[in-house]
Amino acid sequence: MQLIQKYFPNLTPQQTERFAMLDALYRDWNAKINVISRKDIDNLYPHHVLHSLGIAKVINFRPGTEIMDIGTGGGFPGIPLAILFPECRFYLIDSIGKKVRVAQAVADALGLENVTAVHRNVIEEKGKFDFVVSRAVMNLNDLFKLVRKNVRPGGTNALPNGLICLKGGDLAEELSPLRKTAVAWPLSGYFQEEFFETKSAVYVPCR
């Protein structure tokens, strides 16, 4: 929890409380439904919560922004972002029903009224959003082709509406088809921990 406060020192008391609650909530749910590797649950804050908040280092979502998190699993990056941006709406989808159940249960326990979790494949999703976010669910170009139908044009944020993904490793080949539009920010520029040395946030506008 101290790690979150280190990089986000201006949290409200309610945000601080909600972030602190994540540890017990995910430990409890993970014992019943494996949404985080059992070997990795002790790294919940750096590897999952802070990693999710990497998106907040490249864009400060304006109030009223609507964001879809695809392949959310147990609620990442959607739930940490929903805590940080309480005046935005987050729509979390995943094709695995039991994971969606965990995400919604965690959101409910936190009192996050700006989160809706739905059991659905993105291919079937017809809703329109300002941004789509994800954590490494598939190849970036393949994902972009799937979700561009779900992004409404324009926008009022510092970045035009589009796709923002958290990715790891060498992205040169993956970014190649989108090299004229995609922008990547190394998260090591924001977070000092070793885990982030190979992690990036990648943005693709959906014009």
Side-chain angles (χ1 to χ4, degrees), residues 38-52:
R38 298 246 157 84
K39 296 178 181 178
D40 206 32
I41 192 66
D42 289 338
N43 294 311
L44 175 71
Y45 284 103
H47 292 185
H48 301 277
V49 181
L50 189 60
H51 187 209
S52 297

Side-chain angles (χ1 to χ4, degrees), residues 106-137:
V106 170
D108 291 344
L110 295 172
L112 290 175
E113 296 181 358
N114 60 332
V115 171
T116 302
V118 179
H119 177 205
R120 185 170 297 153
N121 190 300
V122 67
I123 295 172
E124 302 162 351
E125 179 56 55
K126 295 180 172 59
K128 297 282 188 179
F129 304 87
D130 299 304
F131 287 90
V132 174
V133 298
S134 81
R135 284 210 313 165
V137 295

